Amino acid sequence: MARDTRAPHEILEHIIEARVALTSALYGLSEECLTDTSAFGTWSCKEIMGHIGRWEEVCYQVIQDHLKGIEPTENYSQEFLAFNDRWESELRTLSLSEVVTLFETAHYRLFGLLNRLQPEQWDVFVRGWTQVCTYGHFEEHTHEIQAWRK
């Protein structure tokens, strides 16, 4: 992963663009399509939305802690697949409405935090987490959803 050296406002614009592309890929899908578990292996669009929301929750907390000088207690970057697996069964039990709430709330909370950061707070740590949990993550799953829709 290359280090993102853009100005914070450029990163925020990228987040907005990537999020619009992601929600546009989801827009108009029926509840049946959103919950089709054969769409991506064993995941549905609903599970992808929950997965993205969960990672944005984690990102929010990790960046908040970082700004207070608290180091992560979990090794998210090395064990991200294990976290995905751990959360999968929990996310499956959520209703579509609950997943949409998680997906939207986590995003707006994280985006609000990032938008309030001062330029000097956009250090390598914040930039890395932002890239992995927002625009990079959105783009990864947007491509999957767009390919599935075709």
Side-chain angles (χ1 to χ4, degrees), residues 53-104:
R54 181 56 44 86
W55 276 110
E56 285 193 288
E57 284 182 329
V58 168
C59 185
Y60 175 85
Q61 190 59 56
V62 167
I63 289 175
Q64 283 273 72
D65 288 348
H66 172 72
L67 295 171
K68 296 174 188 171
I70 301 168
E71 293 299 316
T73 58
E74 303 282 0
N75 189 355
Y76 294 111
S77 52
Q78 295 297 318
E79 299 175 16
F80 68 94
L81 292 175
F83 284 99
N84 289 344
D85 291 343
R86 185 181 315 162
W87 298 330
E88 183 176 359
S89 62
E90 174 197 343
L91 293 172
R92 279 192 196 284
T93 64
L94 298 177
S95 69
L96 180 57
S97 175
E98 291 168 321
V99 167
V100 169
T101 298
L102 169 64
F103 179 73
E104 296 296 343

